[in-house]
Amino acid sequence: MIDDTIVGALQLYLEQCPLLAGGRLNVDYLPKKPFAYMISPSPVDEVVTQYHGGSSIRQYVFVLATVNFYGDDVLVNMANSGFYERLAAWMRMQTRTRTLPPLGDTRTPQKLDAMSTGYLYDANTTEARYQIQCRLVYHQKGD
């Protein structure tokens, strides 16, 4: 891991997803041209459950967004939406097989999942931004 941040761990981990092959995964930056990817943290309360002794179950909620070709071709638009169905299934499989991003010594990942379906966020006549909200649930050791 390059640094000890969750977003850094997620960026490195998601770059290995076969569905993102051939594209660049940015953090907080999404170019306007097709086949770019971005992860961006969402503002939520990260503590899900607080335990005595300081340990906790936490969540890191983020958006994964893409810019794709878009228009009146229904097959292109179905492929765009289908990408997110496959991505959600990939995340479920990663959780089921316990193949989750390494988070260092004080955090243990428990689950990676999609919190929403993928959806069209913004579009012009030739390109569209699609996105999905996801979360990484992890155990944080106490002090």
Short mmCIF file of all heavy atoms in Angstrom, two decimals, residues 69-126:
data_model
loop_
_atom_site.label_atom_id
_atom_site.label_comp_id
_atom_site.label_asym_id
_atom_site.label_seq_id
_atom_site.Cartn_x
_atom_site.Cartn_y
_atom_site.Cartn_z
N PHE A 69 -19.39 6.27 -23.62
CA PHE A 69 -20.14 6.72 -24.80
C PHE A 69 -21.62 6.53 -24.52
O PHE A 69 -22.02 5.64 -23.77
CB PHE A 69 -19.72 5.92 -26.04
CG PHE A 69 -18.35 6.27 -26.51
CD1 PHE A 69 -17.33 5.34 -26.47
CD2 PHE A 69 -18.07 7.54 -27.00
CE1 PHE A 69 -16.05 5.66 -26.89
CE2 PHE A 69 -16.79 7.87 -27.43
CZ PHE A 69 -15.79 6.93 -27.37
N TYR A 70 -22.44 7.37 -25.13
CA TYR A 70 -23.86 7.40 -24.83
C TYR A 70 -24.61 7.98 -26.03
O TYR A 70 -24.05 8.77 -26.78
CB TYR A 70 -24.07 8.29 -23.59
CG TYR A 70 -25.49 8.65 -23.28
CD1 TYR A 70 -26.28 7.79 -22.53
CD2 TYR A 70 -26.03 9.85 -23.70
CE1 TYR A 70 -27.59 8.13 -22.21
CE2 TYR A 70 -27.33 10.20 -23.38
CZ TYR A 70 -28.10 9.33 -22.65
OH TYR A 70 -29.39 9.66 -22.34
N GLY A 71 -25.83 7.59 -26.20
CA GLY A 71 -26.63 8.16 -27.28
C GLY A 71 -27.89 7.36 -27.49
O GLY A 71 -28.40 6.71 -26.57
N ASP A 72 -28.36 7.35 -28.74
CA ASP A 72 -29.62 6.69 -29.03
C ASP A 72 -29.48 5.19 -29.32
O ASP A 72 -30.46 4.51 -29.59
CB ASP A 72 -30.35 7.39 -30.18
CG ASP A 72 -29.56 7.36 -31.49
OD1 ASP A 72 -28.44 6.82 -31.51
OD2 ASP A 72 -30.08 7.90 -32.48
N ASP A 73 -28.28 4.65 -29.24
CA ASP A 73 -28.04 3.22 -29.45
C ASP A 73 -28.34 2.48 -28.15
O ASP A 73 -27.59 2.56 -27.17
CB ASP A 73 -26.59 2.98 -29.87
CG ASP A 73 -26.31 1.53 -30.23
OD1 ASP A 73 -27.04 0.64 -29.76
OD2 ASP A 73 -25.35 1.29 -30.98
N VAL A 74 -29.43 1.76 -28.12
CA VAL A 74 -29.87 1.09 -26.90
C VAL A 74 -28.86 0.05 -26.43
O VAL A 74 -28.69 -0.15 -25.22
CB VAL A 74 -31.29 0.48 -27.08
CG1 VAL A 74 -31.27 -0.72 -28.02
CG2 VAL A 74 -31.89 0.11 -25.75
N LEU A 75 -28.15 -0.60 -27.34
CA LEU A 75 -27.16 -1.60 -26.93
C LEU A 75 -25.99 -0.98 -26.19
O LEU A 75 -25.48 -1.56 -25.22
CB LEU A 75 -26.68 -2.39 -28.15
CG LEU A 75 -27.73 -3.26 -28.84
CD1 LEU A 75 -27.14 -3.95 -30.06
CD2 LEU A 75 -28.34 -4.26 -27.87
N VAL A 76 -25.56 0.20 -26.61
CA VAL A 76 -24.48 0.91 -25.91
C VAL A 76 -24.94 1.28 -24.50
O VAL A 76 -24.22 1.07 -23.52
CB VAL A 76 -24.04 2.16 -26.70
CG1 VAL A 76 -23.14 3.06 -25.86
CG2 VAL A 76 -23.34 1.76 -27.98
N ASN A 77 -26.13 1.81 -24.38
CA ASN A 77 -26.64 2.23 -23.08
C ASN A 77 -26.90 1.03 -22.16
O ASN A 77 -26.66 1.12 -20.95
CB ASN A 77 -27.90 3.08 -23.25
CG ASN A 77 -27.61 4.34 -24.04
OD1 ASN A 77 -26.46 4.81 -24.11
ND2 ASN A 77 -28.62 4.90 -24.65
N MET A 78 -27.35 -0.09 -22.73
CA MET A 78 -27.52 -1.30 -21.92
C MET A 78 -26.17 -1.81 -21.43
O MET A 78 -26.06 -2.26 -20.29
CB MET A 78 -28.24 -2.39 -22.72
CG MET A 78 -29.73 -2.16 -22.78
SD MET A 78 -30.70 -3.37 -23.70
CE MET A 78 -29.73 -4.80 -23.83
N ALA A 79 -25.15 -1.73 -22.26
CA ALA A 79 -23.81 -2.15 -21.85
C ALA A 79 -23.31 -1.28 -20.70
O ALA A 79 -22.68 -1.77 -19.76
CB ALA A 79 -22.84 -2.10 -23.03
N ASN A 80 -23.59 0.02 -20.77
CA ASN A 80 -23.19 0.93 -19.69
C ASN A 80 -23.84 0.52 -18.37
O ASN A 80 -23.17 0.43 -17.34
CB ASN A 80 -23.56 2.36 -20.04
CG ASN A 80 -22.76 2.91 -21.20
OD1 ASN A 80 -21.69 2.42 -21.53
ND2 ASN A 80 -23.29 3.94 -21.84
N SER A 81 -25.13 0.29 -18.40
CA SER A 81 -25.84 -0.12 -17.18
C SER A 81 -25.41 -1.51 -16.74
O SER A 81 -25.28 -1.78 -15.53
CB SER A 81 -27.35 -0.07 -17.40
OG SER A 81 -27.78 1.26 -17.56
N GLY A 82 -25.19 -2.40 -17.70
CA GLY A 82 -24.78 -3.76 -17.38
C GLY A 82 -23.42 -3.82 -16.67
O GLY A 82 -23.19 -4.70 -15.85
N PHE A 83 -22.55 -2.87 -16.98
CA PHE A 83 -21.26 -2.80 -16.30
C PHE A 83 -21.46 -2.73 -14.79
O PHE A 83 -20.77 -3.40 -14.02
CB PHE A 83 -20.48 -1.56 -16.79
CG PHE A 83 -19.30 -1.22 -15.93
CD1 PHE A 83 -18.09 -1.87 -16.10
CD2 PHE A 83 -19.40 -0.24 -14.94
CE1 PHE A 83 -16.99 -1.55 -15.29
CE2 PHE A 83 -18.32 0.09 -14.14
CZ PHE A 83 -17.12 -0.57 -14.31
N TYR A 84 -22.42 -1.92 -14.35
CA TYR A 84 -22.64 -1.74 -12.91
C TYR A 84 -23.27 -2.97 -12.27
O TYR A 84 -23.00 -3.27 -11.10
CB TYR A 84 -23.45 -0.48 -12.66
CG TYR A 84 -22.58 0.73 -12.87
CD1 TYR A 84 -22.61 1.45 -14.04
CD2 TYR A 84 -21.67 1.12 -11.89
CE1 TYR A 84 -21.78 2.54 -14.25
CE2 TYR A 84 -20.84 2.20 -12.08
CZ TYR A 84 -20.90 2.90 -13.26
OH TYR A 84 -20.06 3.97 -13.45
N GLU A 85 -24.11 -3.69 -13.02
CA GLU A 85 -24.63 -4.95 -12.50
C GLU A 85 -23.49 -5.94 -12.26
O GLU A 85 -23.43 -6.60 -11.23
CB GLU A 85 -25.64 -5.56 -13.47
CG GLU A 85 -26.95 -4.84 -13.53
CD GLU A 85 -27.90 -5.51 -14.51
OE1 GLU A 85 -27.92 -6.77 -14.57
OE2 GLU A 85 -28.62 -4.78 -15.21
N ARG A 86 -22.59 -6.02 -13.24
CA ARG A 86 -21.44 -6.92 -13.10
C ARG A 86 -20.49 -6.46 -12.00
O ARG A 86 -19.91 -7.27 -11.28
CB ARG A 86 -20.72 -7.06 -14.44
CG ARG A 86 -21.52 -7.85 -15.47
CD ARG A 86 -20.76 -8.15 -16.74
NE ARG A 86 -20.36 -6.96 -17.48
CZ ARG A 86 -21.15 -6.25 -18.29
NH1 ARG A 86 -22.40 -6.60 -18.44
NH2 ARG A 86 -20.70 -5.20 -18.93
N LEU A 87 -20.32 -5.15 -11.84
CA LEU A 87 -19.46 -4.63 -10.78
C LEU A 87 -20.02 -4.98 -9.40
O LEU A 87 -19.27 -5.41 -8.51
CB LEU A 87 -19.29 -3.12 -10.93
CG LEU A 87 -18.37 -2.45 -9.90
CD1 LEU A 87 -16.94 -2.97 -10.04
CD2 LEU A 87 -18.41 -0.94 -10.05
N ALA A 88 -21.32 -4.82 -9.21
CA ALA A 88 -21.94 -5.18 -7.93
C ALA A 88 -21.76 -6.67 -7.65
O ALA A 88 -21.47 -7.07 -6.52
CB ALA A 88 -23.41 -4.78 -7.92
N ALA A 89 -21.93 -7.51 -8.67
CA ALA A 89 -21.74 -8.95 -8.51
C ALA A 89 -20.28 -9.26 -8.18
O ALA A 89 -20.00 -10.12 -7.34
CB ALA A 89 -22.17 -9.68 -9.78
N TRP A 90 -19.34 -8.57 -8.81
CA TRP A 90 -17.92 -8.77 -8.52
C TRP A 90 -17.62 -8.43 -7.06
O TRP A 90 -16.90 -9.16 -6.38
CB TRP A 90 -17.07 -7.91 -9.46
CG TRP A 90 -15.60 -8.06 -9.25
CD1 TRP A 90 -14.78 -9.02 -9.74
CD2 TRP A 90 -14.76 -7.18 -8.48
NE1 TRP A 90 -13.48 -8.81 -9.33
CE2 TRP A 90 -13.44 -7.69 -8.55
CE3 TRP A 90 -14.99 -6.02 -7.75
CZ2 TRP A 90 -12.37 -7.08 -7.91
CZ3 TRP A 90 -13.92 -5.41 -7.11
CH2 TRP A 90 -12.62 -5.93 -7.19
N MET A 91 -18.19 -7.33 -6.56
CA MET A 91 -17.98 -6.95 -5.16
C MET A 91 -18.55 -8.00 -4.21
O MET A 91 -17.91 -8.34 -3.21
CB MET A 91 -18.62 -5.59 -4.88
CG MET A 91 -17.90 -4.45 -5.50
SD MET A 91 -18.71 -2.89 -5.08
CE MET A 91 -17.73 -1.76 -6.05
N ARG A 92 -19.73 -8.53 -4.52
CA ARG A 92 -20.31 -9.59 -3.68
C ARG A 92 -19.39 -10.80 -3.65
O ARG A 92 -19.17 -11.40 -2.59
CB ARG A 92 -21.70 -9.99 -4.19
CG ARG A 92 -22.80 -9.01 -3.82
CD ARG A 92 -24.18 -9.58 -4.12
NE ARG A 92 -24.37 -9.96 -5.51
CZ ARG A 92 -24.75 -9.13 -6.49
NH1 ARG A 92 -25.00 -7.85 -6.20
NH2 ARG A 92 -24.91 -9.57 -7.72
N MET A 93 -18.81 -11.15 -4.80
CA MET A 93 -17.91 -12.31 -4.86
C MET A 93 -16.64 -12.04 -4.06
O MET A 93 -16.13 -12.94 -3.38
CB MET A 93 -17.57 -12.65 -6.32
CG MET A 93 -16.65 -13.84 -6.45
SD MET A 93 -17.29 -15.35 -5.72
CE MET A 93 -18.58 -15.76 -6.87
N GLN A 94 -16.11 -10.84 -4.13
CA GLN A 94 -14.91 -10.50 -3.37
C GLN A 94 -15.17 -10.63 -1.87
O GLN A 94 -14.33 -11.12 -1.12
CB GLN A 94 -14.43 -9.09 -3.70
CG GLN A 94 -14.05 -8.87 -5.16
CD GLN A 94 -13.08 -9.90 -5.67
OE1 GLN A 94 -11.97 -10.04 -5.17
NE2 GLN A 94 -13.49 -10.65 -6.68
N THR A 95 -16.36 -10.22 -1.44
CA THR A 95 -16.72 -10.35 -0.03
C THR A 95 -16.88 -11.82 0.34
O THR A 95 -16.37 -12.27 1.36
CB THR A 95 -18.02 -9.58 0.27
OG1 THR A 95 -17.77 -8.18 0.08
CG2 THR A 95 -18.49 -9.81 1.70
N ARG A 96 -17.56 -12.57 -0.51
CA ARG A 96 -17.80 -13.99 -0.23
C ARG A 96 -16.49 -14.77 -0.13
O ARG A 96 -16.34 -15.65 0.71
CB ARG A 96 -18.71 -14.57 -1.32
CG ARG A 96 -19.29 -15.90 -0.99
CD ARG A 96 -20.36 -16.42 -1.95
NE ARG A 96 -20.43 -15.79 -3.25
CZ ARG A 96 -21.44 -14.99 -3.66
NH1 ARG A 96 -22.43 -14.70 -2.86
NH2 ARG A 96 -21.43 -14.48 -4.88
N THR A 97 -15.52 -14.43 -0.98
CA THR A 97 -14.23 -15.15 -0.97
C THR A 97 -13.21 -14.49 -0.05
O THR A 97 -12.07 -14.93 0.02
CB THR A 97 -13.65 -15.24 -2.40
OG1 THR A 97 -13.42 -13.92 -2.90
CG2 THR A 97 -14.57 -16.03 -3.31
N ARG A 98 -13.62 -13.41 0.63
CA ARG A 98 -12.75 -12.68 1.58
C ARG A 98 -11.52 -12.13 0.87
O ARG A 98 -10.43 -12.08 1.43
CB ARG A 98 -12.36 -13.54 2.76
CG ARG A 98 -13.49 -14.22 3.50
CD ARG A 98 -14.40 -13.32 4.27
NE ARG A 98 -13.68 -12.55 5.26
CZ ARG A 98 -14.07 -11.33 5.68
NH1 ARG A 98 -15.15 -10.79 5.19
NH2 ARG A 98 -13.38 -10.69 6.57
N THR A 99 -11.69 -11.71 -0.37
CA THR A 99 -10.62 -11.10 -1.15
C THR A 99 -10.85 -9.60 -1.13
O THR A 99 -11.38 -9.03 -2.08
CB THR A 99 -10.63 -11.65 -2.60
OG1 THR A 99 -10.69 -13.06 -2.56
CG2 THR A 99 -9.39 -11.21 -3.36
N LEU A 100 -10.47 -8.98 -0.05
CA LEU A 100 -10.76 -7.57 0.19
C LEU A 100 -9.47 -6.76 0.27
O LEU A 100 -8.39 -7.32 0.48
CB LEU A 100 -11.59 -7.43 1.47
CG LEU A 100 -12.95 -8.13 1.42
CD1 LEU A 100 -13.58 -8.20 2.79
CD2 LEU A 100 -13.87 -7.44 0.43
N PRO A 101 -9.55 -5.46 0.12
CA PRO A 101 -8.33 -4.65 0.13
C PRO A 101 -7.61 -4.68 1.48
O PRO A 101 -8.27 -4.60 2.52
CB PRO A 101 -8.81 -3.24 -0.20
CG PRO A 101 -10.26 -3.23 0.11
CD PRO A 101 -10.75 -4.64 -0.07
N PRO A 102 -6.30 -4.78 1.48
CA PRO A 102 -5.56 -4.69 2.74
C PRO A 102 -5.65 -3.28 3.30
O PRO A 102 -5.49 -2.31 2.57
CB PRO A 102 -4.13 -5.05 2.35
CG PRO A 102 -4.05 -4.77 0.89
CD PRO A 102 -5.43 -4.95 0.33
N LEU A 103 -5.90 -3.18 4.62
CA LEU A 103 -6.08 -1.87 5.25
C LEU A 103 -5.08 -1.59 6.36
O LEU A 103 -5.28 -0.69 7.16
CB LEU A 103 -7.51 -1.76 5.81
CG LEU A 103 -8.65 -1.89 4.81
CD1 LEU A 103 -9.99 -1.84 5.52
CD2 LEU A 103 -8.56 -0.81 3.75
N GLY A 104 -4.03 -2.37 6.43
CA GLY A 104 -3.02 -2.14 7.46
C GLY A 104 -3.28 -2.95 8.72
O GLY A 104 -4.13 -3.83 8.75
N ASP A 105 -2.55 -2.62 9.77
CA ASP A 105 -2.58 -3.40 11.01
C ASP A 105 -3.76 -3.10 11.92
O ASP A 105 -4.14 -3.94 12.74
CB ASP A 105 -1.29 -3.19 11.80
CG ASP A 105 -0.07 -3.70 11.05
OD1 ASP A 105 -0.23 -4.60 10.21
OD2 ASP A 105 1.03 -3.18 11.31
N THR A 106 -4.36 -1.93 11.82
CA THR A 106 -5.42 -1.56 12.77
C THR A 106 -6.82 -1.69 12.19
O THR A 106 -7.79 -1.49 12.91
CB THR A 106 -5.21 -0.10 13.25
OG1 THR A 106 -5.29 0.78 12.13
CG2 THR A 106 -3.89 0.04 13.97
N ARG A 107 -6.93 -2.01 10.92
CA ARG A 107 -8.25 -2.14 10.28
C ARG A 107 -8.35 -3.51 9.59
O ARG A 107 -7.44 -3.91 8.89
CB ARG A 107 -8.45 -1.05 9.23
CG ARG A 107 -8.37 0.34 9.77
CD ARG A 107 -8.61 1.32 8.61
NE ARG A 107 -8.19 2.65 8.97
CZ ARG A 107 -7.32 3.39 8.29
NH1 ARG A 107 -6.77 2.92 7.19
NH2 ARG A 107 -7.02 4.59 8.68
N THR A 108 -9.49 -4.16 9.77
CA THR A 108 -9.74 -5.44 9.12
C THR A 108 -10.98 -5.31 8.25
O THR A 108 -12.08 -5.08 8.76
CB THR A 108 -9.97 -6.55 10.18
OG1 THR A 108 -8.85 -6.58 11.06
CG2 THR A 108 -10.16 -7.90 9.52
N PRO A 109 -10.82 -5.45 6.92
CA PRO A 109 -11.99 -5.33 6.04
C PRO A 109 -12.95 -6.49 6.25
O PRO A 109 -12.53 -7.63 6.49
CB PRO A 109 -11.38 -5.36 4.64
CG PRO A 109 -10.10 -6.09 4.79
CD PRO A 109 -9.61 -5.78 6.18
N GLN A 110 -14.24 -6.20 6.18
CA GLN A 110 -15.26 -7.23 6.37
C GLN A 110 -16.16 -7.41 5.16
O GLN A 110 -16.61 -8.51 4.89
CB GLN A 110 -16.12 -6.90 7.59
CG GLN A 110 -15.35 -6.91 8.87
CD GLN A 110 -16.23 -6.66 10.08
OE1 GLN A 110 -17.26 -5.99 10.00
NE2 GLN A 110 -15.82 -7.21 11.20
N LYS A 111 -16.44 -6.31 4.45
CA LYS A 111 -17.41 -6.41 3.36
C LYS A 111 -17.22 -5.25 2.39
O LYS A 111 -16.98 -4.12 2.81
CB LYS A 111 -18.83 -6.37 3.94
CG LYS A 111 -19.93 -6.41 2.91
CD LYS A 111 -21.30 -6.65 3.50
CE LYS A 111 -21.81 -5.53 4.33
NZ LYS A 111 -23.24 -5.66 4.66
N LEU A 112 -17.34 -5.54 1.12
CA LEU A 112 -17.36 -4.53 0.07
C LEU A 112 -18.64 -4.76 -0.70
O LEU A 112 -18.88 -5.87 -1.19
CB LEU A 112 -16.14 -4.69 -0.86
CG LEU A 112 -16.05 -3.72 -2.03
CD1 LEU A 112 -15.87 -2.28 -1.55
CD2 LEU A 112 -14.90 -4.12 -2.95
N ASP A 113 -19.49 -3.73 -0.78
CA ASP A 113 -20.74 -3.93 -1.50
C ASP A 113 -21.24 -2.66 -2.15
O ASP A 113 -20.79 -1.56 -1.84
CB ASP A 113 -21.81 -4.54 -0.60
CG ASP A 113 -22.23 -3.64 0.57
OD1 ASP A 113 -21.68 -2.55 0.75
OD2 ASP A 113 -23.15 -4.05 1.30
N ALA A 114 -22.17 -2.87 -3.09
CA ALA A 114 -22.86 -1.76 -3.74
C ALA A 114 -24.07 -1.40 -2.90
O ALA A 114 -24.85 -2.26 -2.52
CB ALA A 114 -23.27 -2.17 -5.14
N MET A 115 -24.22 -0.12 -2.61
CA MET A 115 -25.36 0.35 -1.82
C MET A 115 -26.51 0.81 -2.71
O MET A 115 -27.61 1.05 -2.23
CB MET A 115 -24.93 1.50 -0.91
CG MET A 115 -23.87 1.10 0.10
SD MET A 115 -23.30 2.50 1.08
CE MET A 115 -24.78 2.89 2.01
N SER A 116 -26.24 0.96 -3.99
CA SER A 116 -27.27 1.36 -4.94
C SER A 116 -27.03 0.61 -6.24
O SER A 116 -25.99 -0.02 -6.42
CB SER A 116 -27.20 2.88 -5.21
OG SER A 116 -26.05 3.21 -5.96
N THR A 117 -27.97 0.70 -7.13
CA THR A 117 -27.73 0.22 -8.48
C THR A 117 -26.94 1.29 -9.20
O THR A 117 -26.93 2.46 -8.78
CB THR A 117 -29.05 -0.04 -9.23
OG1 THR A 117 -29.80 1.17 -9.24
CG2 THR A 117 -29.85 -1.15 -8.57
N GLY A 118 -26.28 0.93 -10.28
CA GLY A 118 -25.62 1.93 -11.10
C GLY A 118 -26.69 2.75 -11.82
O GLY A 118 -27.72 2.22 -12.21
N TYR A 119 -26.44 4.04 -11.98
CA TYR A 119 -27.46 4.88 -12.60
C TYR A 119 -26.80 5.99 -13.42
O TYR A 119 -25.66 6.39 -13.18
CB TYR A 119 -28.40 5.47 -11.55
CG TYR A 119 -27.73 6.29 -10.48
CD1 TYR A 119 -27.60 7.68 -10.59
CD2 TYR A 119 -27.21 5.68 -9.34
CE1 TYR A 119 -26.98 8.42 -9.61
CE2 TYR A 119 -26.59 6.42 -8.35
CZ TYR A 119 -26.48 7.79 -8.49
OH TYR A 119 -25.85 8.53 -7.52
N LEU A 120 -27.58 6.49 -14.38
CA LEU A 120 -27.17 7.61 -15.20
C LEU A 120 -27.22 8.87 -14.36
O LEU A 120 -28.26 9.21 -13.79
CB LEU A 120 -28.10 7.73 -16.41
CG LEU A 120 -27.84 8.88 -17.37
CD1 LEU A 120 -26.50 8.70 -18.07
CD2 LEU A 120 -28.97 8.97 -18.38
N TYR A 121 -26.10 9.55 -14.25
CA TYR A 121 -26.01 10.74 -13.41
C TYR A 121 -26.10 12.02 -14.24
O TYR A 121 -26.74 12.99 -13.85
CB TYR A 121 -24.70 10.70 -12.62
CG TYR A 121 -24.50 11.88 -11.71
CD1 TYR A 121 -25.14 11.94 -10.48
CD2 TYR A 121 -23.66 12.94 -12.07
CE1 TYR A 121 -24.96 13.03 -9.63
CE2 TYR A 121 -23.48 14.02 -11.23
CZ TYR A 121 -24.12 14.05 -10.02
OH TYR A 121 -23.95 15.13 -9.19
N ASP A 122 -25.45 12.03 -15.38
CA ASP A 122 -25.41 13.23 -16.23
C ASP A 122 -25.08 12.78 -17.66
O ASP A 122 -24.34 11.82 -17.84
CB ASP A 122 -24.35 14.20 -15.71
CG ASP A 122 -24.37 15.55 -16.41
OD1 ASP A 122 -25.45 15.99 -16.84
OD2 ASP A 122 -23.29 16.18 -16.51
N ALA A 123 -25.61 13.49 -18.65
CA ALA A 123 -25.35 13.10 -20.03
C ALA A 123 -25.43 14.29 -20.97
O ALA A 123 -26.13 15.27 -20.69
CB ALA A 123 -26.36 12.04 -20.47
N ASN A 124 -24.69 14.18 -22.07
CA ASN A 124 -24.88 15.07 -23.21
C ASN A 124 -25.22 14.18 -24.40
O ASN A 124 -25.56 13.01 -24.21
CB ASN A 124 -23.67 15.98 -23.43
CG ASN A 124 -22.40 15.23 -23.77
OD1 ASN A 124 -22.44 14.22 -24.47
ND2 ASN A 124 -21.27 15.70 -23.28
N THR A 125 -25.08 14.63 -25.59
CA THR A 125 -25.51 13.83 -26.74
C THR A 125 -24.59 12.66 -27.06
O THR A 125 -25.02 11.70 -27.71
CB THR A 125 -25.66 14.71 -27.99
OG1 THR A 125 -24.40 15.36 -28.24
CG2 THR A 125 -26.76 15.73 -27.82
N THR A 126 -23.33 12.68 -26.60
CA THR A 126 -22.40 11.61 -26.97
C THR A 126 -21.71 10.92 -25.80
O THR A 126 -21.16 9.84 -25.97
CB THR A 126 -21.30 12.15 -27.92
OG1 THR A 126 -20.61 13.22 -27.26
CG2 THR A 126 -21.90 12.63 -29.22
#
